[in-house]
Amino acid sequence: MDAISNLPSDISPHEGQFRDYHHYFACRVYYEDTDFSGIVYHANYLRFMERARSDMLHQLGMDQRAAFEADDGAYAVVDLQIKYIAPAKFQDNLLVVSHVSKLRKASVNIEQIIMRGDEKITSASVQAAFLTPAGRPRRQPEAWTKAFAAVIADEE
């Protein structure tokens, strides 16, 4: 294929958004996400949720790559509880809804649900710890804890 000229400059990756302390991230189920029966393979729900969490951190101004490259640390999932309620299928439009439920010095808890329209199909509770390059817990950067604190609802 020859080089393409006049490439559009206004196309960018999909981004989610915050509304009322919740982060919303839309995604579509592709053929590659499904198993032989046409439903989403169980591990792929974790992929959808990971993309939503990564986008949420990006929306909060957290540069995980820069922190990692500066040897400051990185997040690692240290606890995960997931409940599968109903299967997603090829070409379903899904919405991953995430919110910060608990903030500690070196970790954060994020609750996530995956919706298909008005139907909740998956829910999860994720604890991510901020770790040094050697794998030891470390305080999260102060700017990051402030960003998380700004999106925790008082009643949650």
Side-chain angles (χ1 to χ4, degrees), residues 106-120:
S107 67
V108 62
N109 286 44
I110 300 170
E111 306 302 316
Q112 295 185 281
I113 59 172
I114 299 178
M115 303 291 296
R116 178 180 48 221
D118 293 335
E119 179 186 17
K120 181 180 0 178

Side-chain angles (χ1 to χ4, degrees), residues 27-30 40 87-94 116 121:
C27 56
R28 177 174 293 120
V29 175
Y30 296 107
V40 171
K89 299 174 182 169
F90 177 52
Q91 295 188 332
D92 279 353
N93 291 319
L94 305 177
R116 178 180 48 221
I121 63 170

Side-chain angles (χ1 to χ4, degrees), residues 6-73:
N6 298 321
L7 292 174
S9 61
D10 61 339
I11 297 176
S12 61
H14 175 75
E15 292 188 343
Q17 58 183 276
F18 273 95
R19 292 186 188 170
D20 299 324
Y21 304 103
H22 290 80
H23 177 265
Y24 297 88
F25 186 82
C27 56
R28 177 174 293 120
V29 175
Y30 296 107
Y31 183 75
E32 68 183 18
D33 299 320
T34 63
D35 61 19
F36 72 93
S37 67
I39 63 171
V40 171
Y41 180 67
H42 72 279
N44 288 331
Y45 294 92
L46 298 174
R47 288 172 169 249
F48 301 150
M49 288 186 264
E50 175 64 34
R51 289 177 189 150
R53 286 193 310 277
S54 292
D55 184 76
M56 181 175 74
L57 299 184
H58 174 77
Q59 295 291 322
L60 290 172
M62 300 175 189
D63 190 341
Q64 294 184 90
R65 183 175 177 176
F68 177 76
E69 290 175 353
D71 284 335
D72 289 337

